Amino acid sequence: MTGLMVHKLTVIRGGRPILDDVSFACPSQGLVGLLGPNGAGKSTLARLLAGQPGAHAGAVRLGGEDVAALPAARRAAMIGYMPQAFTPHWDISPRMLVEMGAARRPDLPGGTVRSAISEAGLGGHADRLWSTLSGGEKARALFAAVTVADPAILVVDEPGASLDIRHRIQLMRRLAERGRTRLVVAVLHDIELATTWCDRLVILDAGRVVADDTADAVARSDTIAQVFGVAFETVEAGGITVARPLCGRD
Amino acid sequence: MTAAITPPRDGFTIQLAVLLGLGLAISVCVGLAAGHDWASPARLLAALTGDRSLDSRLITDWRLPRVLAAALVGALLGFGGCLFQGLFRNPLAEPYLLGSAGGAAVGATVALLVPLGVPQALALPILAFCGAWSATVMVLFIGRVSGVVDAAGLLLAGVAVAAILGALRSFLMLALSDESISLQVVLSWVLGGIQTPGPAGLSVLVILTGACLLLALTTGRGLDLLGLGEDMARSFGLDVKRFIAMTILIGSAVVAVAVAFGGLVAFVGLAAPHLGRNLVGPRHRPLILASALIGAITVVLADAIARAALPPAEIPLGLITAIAGGPFFLFLLARRLRP
């Protein structure tokens, strides 16, 4: 099983290039972080990686096939996509959501839904209404629904935004664990968490790829400082290089 | 602990099925008893157990087909509304409000007033279907092009389409009617009203309603997914474009049959799924069944009022549902628009 190949992806919206000739390859395993300042094109790229529609030139290929052209059911079984914002139109429960996520793989063993719910820490909340859940509970329910079918590729768009620090670290650990056997592509904002947990980092700036390397190499390079306009220090911890913003108050 | 939070209702329980079935049975009995001259329970029982007196035959031969037709049209309106709400992902969507029923009415008016050289029994449902389909596609298209996806915007597009279609229908009625066609008949149908069907008509209605219900039930899973938003629906394996196109076709068929047999009846399609959601939760397969039963109960009772309230005159059914359903709609709208 090969990973995702992004080939000359270009998206132009309102005369402005959102993605500008983006090419890179993701291995079939590992946690790949997509970084970049606001408006760099990360979410647009994540959508296309997951096979969501949108006018574009170029292609995202999975094992030689264009993901945009895959039949919906097959794509759903292979690629999980967790969008940045998710609001269901009806007041469903986490259990219903996870069941819908599980239904895309008819071969899942019984009890998968239940264990996914309890793994997400939603055991006591599985039958509550969506409108009564906290932001973190919603995010965890969505993550459980997207991953319950164990897709070979998982694309998540800012999964930690609404999580507290403990759950955010827990989520990064789970993404990294998935990355040992699967491909996970995550749009991230927190450079420190990204350099701590990711295997590779791809940095976008104004629709172009400005870095595509191992997380350690990116953490040590000057690219992140240039792209974000913030000074970073690097910390070596347990064999990995972590980049931390220097935001001391004067 | 989450003891204070009641779990969402989910699915059709046996108790609920019995309750709604009982409700339908009682309302059918009320419908059979109601009329210019009310039948006592004893007379009703006699008529239903094979008595062939004139009184009993009035009930079995005249009222029974009418009540059954009302139940079937009500079921169509109920689950039709459920399909539309699921499709538009909006609890205020309704075939009547969105102009789909108006489109069906234009098609049906053409079939009734224009000599087309085809049997009316064939032309009417087909043209009603075409009208409902084009109106629905138009509203969805306007909503999409203008980028409005919120309740108010979509309803405004629907109201505009419904107004245009209403005017078109009135114009057709004025321009095309002559001495050979009673405008009264067309008008009373436009205002909504169950006609008493003959055995053949009733059989056709039974078959069409059954077919529509089966088709509607096939959309259950897709509507559930669509309720997650198009992106999530797609990522969970739904071919969104194809599914929406299919569901519009099925929804238009439901509206066409309902309009062909019951005229323009407002708000049942709004209220039935709304009440149903409180009983069986948001999943669409049980909701379609619950909406069908609630719609049937509602229209049977409304039709009973239509026949019994001002004898010997008959009040158009659509007026009764509008008087009862309009305030319900306003209540929902107010609750939704409140920040």
Side-chain angles (χ1 to χ4, degrees), chain B:
Chain B
M1 282 305 292
T2 55
I5 293 145
T6 47
R9 310 197 180 259
D10 184 16
F12 230 117
T13 58
I14 307 251
Q15 295 95 305
L16 211 56
V18 169
L19 193 78
L20 286 175
L22 212 63
L24 183 58
I26 291 171
S27 58
V28 165
C29 289
V30 172
L32 288 176
H36 174 32
D37 128 65
W38 279 75
S40 68
R43 259 183 61 197
L44 213 56
L45 192 68
L48 291 176
T49 48
D51 181 47
R52 297 303 292 164
S53 70
L54 196 61
D55 267 359
S56 294
R57 280 176 52 195
L58 171 79
I59 290 171
T60 52
D61 295 359
W62 281 100
R63 284 189 192 163
L64 188 60
R66 163 115 183 208
V67 169
L68 291 179
L72 292 166
V73 167
L76 286 163
L77 292 171
F79 73 80
C82 181
L83 282 185
F84 272 71
Q85 295 189 1
L87 183 66
F88 285 88
R89 284 153 273 167
N90 190 328
L92 297 179
E94 207 238 331
Y96 184 85
L97 290 172
L98 289 179
S100 311
V106 169
T109 307
V110 170
L112 286 174
L113 298 179
V114 182
L116 293 165
V118 233
Q120 209 175 67
L122 190 70
L124 194 130
I126 291 176
L127 287 181
F129 172 77
C130 294
W133 181 79
S134 356
T136 314
V137 169
M138 206 179 338
V139 172
L140 208 63
F141 181 74
I142 293 170
R144 198 156 276 208
V145 164
S146 57
V148 285
V149 283
D150 62 319
L154 202 63
L155 284 171
L156 283 177
V159 166
V161 168
I164 295 166
L165 291 170
L168 186 62
R169 190 196 63 227
S170 301
F171 173 77
L172 286 174
M173 283 167 61
L174 286 173
L176 296 175
S177 65
D178 53 36
E179 305 78 46
S180 65
I181 295 156
S182 161
L183 212 54
Q184 182 86 39
V185 169
V186 183
L187 191 65
S188 79
W189 169 81
V190 162
L191 291 172
I194 310 289
Q195 312 296 324
T196 306
L202 191 60
S203 321
V204 169
L205 180 56
V206 168
I207 292 165
L208 288 177
T209 306
C212 283
L213 183 61
L214 287 179
L215 284 173
L217 285 170
T218 64
T219 66
R221 179 176 168 264
L223 290 177
D224 287 346
L225 287 173
L226 205 57
L228 304 178
E230 292 192 13
D231 283 359
M232 281 310 286
R234 203 174 287 117
S235 81
F236 281 179
L238 187 70
D239 188 338
V240 171
K241 250 183 165 164
R242 219 184 111 209
F243 175 77
I244 289 179
M246 277 289 300
T247 309
I248 292 176
L249 281 177
I250 296 171
S252 306
V254 175
V255 171
V257 178
V259 168
F261 284 87
L264 287 175
V265 179
F267 296 115
V268 175
L270 179 84
H274 194 87
L275 297 173
R277 218 168 273 119
N278 287 331
L279 293 175
V280 300
R283 275 196 237 246
H284 282 89
R285 216 168 281 175
L287 186 56
I288 284 167
L289 290 172
S291 306
L293 284 166
I294 295 168
I297 293 170
T298 312
V299 171
V300 167
L301 291 178
D303 182 59
I305 296 172
R307 283 178 288 125
L310 278 181
E314 203 176 281
I315 308 171
L317 176 64
L319 297 191
I320 294 167
T321 62
I323 287 168
F328 182 76
F329 171 75
L330 289 174
F331 166 73
L332 288 183
L333 188 67
R335 212 174 57 171
R336 201 175 163 82
L337 294 182
R338 196 169 49 198

Side-chain angles (χ1 to χ4, degrees), chain A residues 47 52-53 76 89 99 127 129, chain B residues 8 85 227-228 231 234 237 283:
Chain A
R47 279 180 59 85
Q52 293 285 337
H89 296 276
E99 279 174 5
D127 290 315
L129 292 172
Chain B
Q85 295 189 1
L228 304 178
D231 283 359
R234 203 174 287 117
R283 275 196 237 246

Side-chain angles (χ1 to χ4, degrees), chain A residues 131-151:
Chain A
S131 56
T132 69
L133 299 174
S134 72
E137 286 162 348
K138 287 176 185 171
R140 271 142 55 202
L142 179 59
F143 185 75
V146 172
T147 52
V148 65
D150 194 23

Side-chain angles (χ1 to χ4, degrees), chain A:
Chain A
M1 186 83 190
T2 48
L4 287 174
M5 289 280 300
V6 180
H7 184 67
K8 290 183 178 299
L9 211 53
T10 299
V11 172
I12 292 176
R13 218 174 282 150
R16 199 172 71 90
I18 306 292
L19 292 177
D20 187 0
D21 198 27
V22 168
S23 295
F24 64 95
C26 292
S28 59
Q29 290 157 3
L31 172 54
V32 178
L34 269 183
L35 303 179
N38 291 336
K42 303 183 296 292
S43 290
T44 305
L45 178 56
R47 279 180 59 85
L48 293 174
L49 288 178
Q52 293 285 337
H56 64 273
V60 177
R61 295 212 179 87
L62 169 61
E65 288 182 276
D66 188 342
V67 295
L70 286 174
R74 223 175 109 220
R75 184 174 56 224
M78 289 196 293
I79 306 177
Y81 171 58
M82 185 165 161
Q84 207 176 91
F86 168 67
T87 313
H89 296 276
W90 309 111
D91 216 355
I92 54 170
S93 67
R95 189 192 307 283
M96 293 178 195
L97 182 62
V98 177
E99 279 174 5
M100 282 188 249
R104 65 199 145 119
R105 281 274 304 273
D107 56 329
L108 289 179
T112 312
V113 168
R114 198 172 339 123
S115 58
I117 287 171
S118 68
E119 236 177 89
L122 293 166
H125 311 287
D127 290 315
R128 278 171 54 187
L129 292 172
W130 196 259
S131 56
T132 69
L133 299 174
S134 72
E137 286 162 348
K138 287 176 185 171
R140 271 142 55 202
L142 179 59
F143 185 75
V146 172
T147 52
V148 65
D150 194 23
I153 292 164
L154 176 63
V155 181
V156 289
D157 195 350
E158 283 187 54
S162 53
L163 297 179
D164 60 35
I165 183 71
R166 180 169 73 93
H167 284 111
R168 207 179 313 165
I169 291 171
Q170 203 176 61
L171 178 81
M172 290 309 295
R173 176 171 289 129
R174 295 186 58 191
L175 291 179
E177 271 165 18
R178 277 194 76 78
R180 290 207 199 108
T181 53
R182 308 285 197 200
L183 171 63
V184 180
V185 181
V187 173
L188 297 169
H189 264 308
D190 189 319
I191 311 293
E192 201 175 331
L193 282 179
T195 49
T196 305
W197 293 101
C198 290
D199 301 305
R200 291 188 71 79
L201 291 174
V202 174
I203 301 184
L204 285 181
D205 189 20
R208 294 180 149 269
V209 174
V210 293
D212 171 20
D213 210 332
T214 63
D216 278 2
V218 171
R220 277 190 225 106
S221 72
D222 295 330
T223 316
I224 41 174
Q226 285 161 12
V227 167
F228 289 98
V230 172
F232 286 85
E233 61 171 352
T234 53
V235 182
E236 303 284 333
I240 52 169
T241 310
V242 176
R244 235 169 22 196
L246 284 169
C247 48
R249 294 165 57 174
D250 320 295

